[in-house]
Amino acid sequence: MQTFNRPSDYVDAAREMASSGRPTLARLLAEEAADLTSDSGAKARILADFPGRSLRQGD
């Protein structure tokens, strides 16, 4: 069972989803990773690796 304690856990899961043809889920996981990251440059890099518009409500 995978745990999600760090931003890198979400990024790893996002990569898995992207490679299995689930880009929307990959983007949502990347957004969560970015939310948990305090460095603005790292946030931008995470989101750039998983392009697309946010599907979160309110975004």
Side-chain angles (χ1 to χ4, degrees), residues 10-36:
Y10 286 91
V11 171
D12 291 343
R15 287 189 181 115
E16 288 180 35
M17 293 302 107
S19 68
S20 66
R22 297 181 180 114
T24 302
L25 184 51
R27 176 63 186 201
L28 289 171
L29 287 162
E31 288 175 5
E32 188 64 28
D35 287 348
L36 296 171

Side-chain angles (χ1 to χ4, degrees), residues 28-55:
L28 289 171
L29 287 162
E31 288 175 5
E32 188 64 28
D35 287 348
L36 296 171
T37 303
S38 58
D39 179 271
S40 61
K43 286 182 183 202
R45 284 188 296 277
I46 290 169
L47 294 176
D49 285 345
F50 302 94
R53 66 177 187 86
S54 177
L55 297 175

